[in-house]
Amino acid sequence: MFKKILIANRAEIALRVVKSCKEMNIACVTIYTDIEKDYPHASAGDESICLGDGPLSDTYLNQDRLIALAKELGVDAIHPGYGLLSENPSFAQKLATNNITLIGPSAENMLLMGDKIASKAEMERIGVPTIPGYHGANQDSAFLLEQAKKVGLPVMIKASAGGGGKGMRIVKSFDEFSEALTSAKSEALKSFSDENVLIERYIETPRHIEVQVMSDSHGNHLHFFERECSIQRRHQKIIEESPSPALDSDLRSRICASAVMITKSINYQGAGTVEYILDENGAFFFLEMNTRLQVEHPITEMVTGVDLVRQQIEVAAGGKLNLTQNEISQRGHALEVRIYAEDPDNNFMPSIGTIWDVTSSSLNGVRFDNGFVAGNEVTINFDPMLSKLIVWDSNRENAISKMNICLDEVAYLGFKTNREYLKRVLSSKPFKAGNITTNFIRDYEKELVKVELSEEAIAKGIATYLYTKRFSGGSEVKQVHSKKQTPWSYLNNFRNI
Amino acid sequence: MKLLVNGSEKDVFVSEWSEQGVKLAVDGVTYSFTTQELSKMVSGISTDKKKGHVLVHGQDLFIEPLSKKNCGGALEAGAMISPMPGKIFKVIKVAGQEVKKGETILIMEAMKMEHPVKASRDGKILEIIFNEGQQVDGGVELVSLKPAGKE
């Protein structure tokens, strides 16, 4: 087993990996930048190294620097988390050359799955269904328009190297095609240094279903069932759940078997996620495979009871998976919401500010994967995702209800987040009924508008504000929430003076 | 005192503070709340103790005293303002051009994403206040537009 792991990531995911390292008695190193000095991950490792200031390319994305650091500190494996260098084949290659283990798949696996064109071709070869489209190398505008006409409207233009909705456009009339193509290419070039795009049929009521997989280096390929991640804004997931309400047991076993067939065919190693689009007729199409740990992995951990990070580390160290497929089952229902620093009532624009306080939940079966503490600045330098709130309960209805209660308890105070908006989605009729698609946020825009508070509720808010202000004592930040911090004590102090 | 609550002005008068609670009038209507119920609310206050953030029925209320800085001078409804700090990536229209509501005037770039800034109504562009490549703060007016039919 590894002696020391470097976690090449930040915020909540760095803290998540630290937890498994601790439980496995493996030393770990976290890294951070100047502006993150007060963030929890900056002191979470057995050793924590400051990378100074500068753009990401000088810090978290500086491959040579991270490798030099790993050598200097006697690190034998690197956990890349998600995003950043997690799906970078050249980094995987460099680590291999330097005899440092990457806790992730081979560079070859990454290279194949990171290329949307090559991965779809491979899927076609092994018989996994894909969405009709053109995934070729000819990038001539007139040729692409011709291909779009073959695929049929509506058509989607997507960056070949893309992800997270960057470099993606939907075209509903061929008149819009050329403008959309130009802007998709320019965004692709900026985000991925690669302006190649692919063209695909756009499915009108798609559901996003993904399968968690894990493979060791001894030819064992397992799946940990599905997650449904259909609730998305700006093509990024905001609510995920497992199991999916869209799958019956037959469809579930077929889609999971398809994912395992892929990992077997490409001789995959480590944790991965195969993403599918499910259409209104129950047909599923391969979308892409993420060759890393996924943001929403906790819901799978909640329903299967398996620590996926621990499994990742075990198999990266050459171990055999200590589970068989029959031993893995879904128990109850888990939901995850992503809490973003953003304003859902202003087109989900990112918000910034100082975190005055972060409150916690009083309920059972709640996991809060959070990367921030009171006093931290939320800036535009990093992704606006602050944390993930995960709940587990015996069934979907109870899990939804629990999450709604939880979202009233767990709040970042000091600036706008999507917290209350998530409640609107969870409380809506179509969500409760399980009638969700990746267009949900757009389709139900009108139902998801903010309900104005009554005058009395506003007065209560004002009274609370005045009360907090009056009795917040000498401490910098005071929160009227947990028992030990109740302003009653301050009220008493006040009287005694 | 005057408070700004989620951007709207409220006239607040506190008539009584006691151990039991508070009586106050908001815009002339009187309410009373007990200490016990207020102590259960989730709320926070800024380090300078001016701004507050309170959750009421799960909703966020941002409260601060009304000052010269935040009173008046509000942007005209329909003004095109930068949604967040970022960079002017591309200016598509030019001053003097007539635009239809929804037409993209310029594209901002922030968080590695492009955000089109669209005409908020039909009209004529009087001025595009920033040039391509310029950094702009959030909440800043980007385009000055003369609505159609107004002389």
Side-chain angles (χ1 to χ4, degrees), chain A residues 271-407:
Chain A
T273 295
V274 184
E275 298 190 333
Y276 296 92
I277 288 292
L278 180 70
D279 78 7
E280 49 277 24
N281 307 314
F284 59 87
F285 306 97
F286 172 85
L287 189 61
E288 63 179 356
M289 179 170 181
N290 294 320
T291 53
R292 55 168 160 85
L293 188 68
Q294 204 90 337
V295 174
E296 58 274 21
H297 76 276
I299 52 174
T300 300
E301 296 187 321
M302 294 292 252
V303 294
T304 62
V306 176
D307 178 339
L308 293 172
V309 175
R310 187 181 187 123
Q311 294 290 333
Q312 266 192 305
I313 296 171
E314 302 264 9
V315 301
K320 266 189 187 169
L321 282 163
N322 57 356
L323 285 160
T324 62
Q325 192 63 61
N326 288 337
E327 289 169 329
I328 305 166
S329 62
Q330 291 170 301
R331 185 177 150 266
H333 199 95
L335 265 177
E336 173 181 282
V337 297
R338 299 189 187 187
I339 302 187
Y340 281 96
E342 67 184 16
D343 183 2
D345 298 310
N346 179 22
N347 209 16
F348 302 100
M349 288 301 171
S351 60
I352 51 174
T354 305
I355 299 174
W356 303 339
D357 210 348
V358 194
T359 54
S360 56
S361 174
S362 63
L363 307 180
N364 282 325
V366 175
R367 171 170 162 181
F368 186 38
D369 283 18
N370 167 34
F372 299 88
V373 289
N376 290 166
E377 286 286 330
V378 176
T379 69
I380 59 162
N381 294 304
F382 297 106
D383 191 90
M385 193 182 89
L386 298 172
S387 62
K388 304 164 337 197
L389 186 58
I390 303 111
V391 304
W392 181 91
D393 213 314
S394 51
N395 59 42
R396 187 172 191 266
E397 197 185 338
N398 291 351
I400 293 171
S401 161
K402 184 182 274 188
M403 183 63 93
N404 270 322
I405 298 166
C406 218
L407 282 167

Side-chain angles (χ1 to χ4, degrees), chain A residues 176-187:
Chain A
E176 299 166 7
F177 188 83
S178 117
E179 191 189 332
L181 181 65
T182 311
S183 89
K185 282 191 171 218
S186 111
E187 203 168 292

Side-chain angles (χ1 to χ4, degrees), chain B residues 96-123:
Chain B
Q97 233 175 326
E98 300 277 347
V99 286
K100 291 265 177 231
K101 183 179 173 179
E103 267 191 275
T104 301
I105 297 177
L106 57 87
I107 298 171
M108 268 191 76
E109 182 193 342
M111 320 285 296
K112 291 188 204 149
M113 301 271 282
E114 292 181 14
H115 304 277
V117 173
K118 294 175 174 174
S120 54
R121 55 182 80 178
D122 293 358

